[in-house]
Amino acid sequence: MHSQQRNYACRKGWRAVRRVVIEMVDDLDQESGDDVATVHFALDGVDYEIDLNAVNAERLRGGLAPFVAAGRVVESAEPEATVDVRSWTIRQWARTNGFSPCSRGPIPSQVMEAFVRAGGRAERVPYNRFAPVEEAL
């Protein structure tokens, strides 16, 4: 709809409707259908998802069945909360080494390069919400 048509429609009180249609397509045979669903699985520490129709999903499950039967279920732990202290550490290093980084936003590449050349290393540390900030760093 052109802007003049849109303005006319708005003045008349009409509302434009947009409909988004998502068509699920089987990733193996490229066929669409109502029975296509996303199947999640993991192998060697990598999570995968694939859209399969009922027949192909059963083929996947059937092929994995002997391995699933012989395997163990691993309880997934919630990921440990971390504090990203890298930017704070790099900004502190930059201030003590003659740079003037902003307190927010991306760190300039020349500061990052100088930090790395100086042997700088900053990592994530476990977050303890009850500990003072200095202890977490």
Side-chain angles (χ1 to χ4, degrees):
M1 188 181 284
H2 296 291
S3 62
Q4 288 178 333
Q5 291 172 326
R6 191 173 346 183
N7 290 338
Y8 178 77
C10 290
R11 285 194 306 267
K12 288 292 191 181
W14 299 340
R15 292 190 142 173
V17 176
R18 177 182 294 174
R19 183 184 336 175
V20 177
V21 177
I22 298 174
E23 181 181 25
M24 296 291 287
V25 177
D26 187 297
D27 290 332
L28 288 180
D29 60 21
Q30 304 304 311
E31 304 254 342
S32 63
D34 293 335
D35 64 340
V36 176
T38 302
V39 177
H40 301 272
F41 62 98
L43 181 64
D44 296 333
V46 179
D47 293 325
Y48 296 90
E49 64 179 37
I50 186 170
D51 297 329
L52 298 173
N53 63 31
V55 173
N56 286 335
E58 190 54 40
R59 284 180 48 210
L60 174 64
R61 290 185 179 99
L64 292 175
F67 302 99
V68 171
R72 295 175 297 282
V73 174
V74 178
E75 296 295 326
S76 62
E78 290 295 317
E80 184 178 309
T82 59
V83 176
D84 190 356
V85 295
R86 292 175 288 194
S87 62
W88 181 87
T89 304
I90 294 167
R91 289 179 206 282
Q92 285 296 101
W93 176 88
R95 286 186 193 95
T96 59
N97 287 280
F99 293 95
S100 300
C102 295
S103 60
R104 292 184 168 178
I107 297 172
S109 59
Q110 65 268 22
V111 172
M112 291 295 294
E113 290 166 4
F115 178 75
V116 171
R117 276 195 310 271
R121 191 174 144 226
E123 299 176 0
R124 291 180 174 271
V125 298
Y127 174 69
N128 178 354
R129 68 183 179 140
F130 300 109
V133 174
E134 297 80 30
E135 284 183 31
L137 303 176

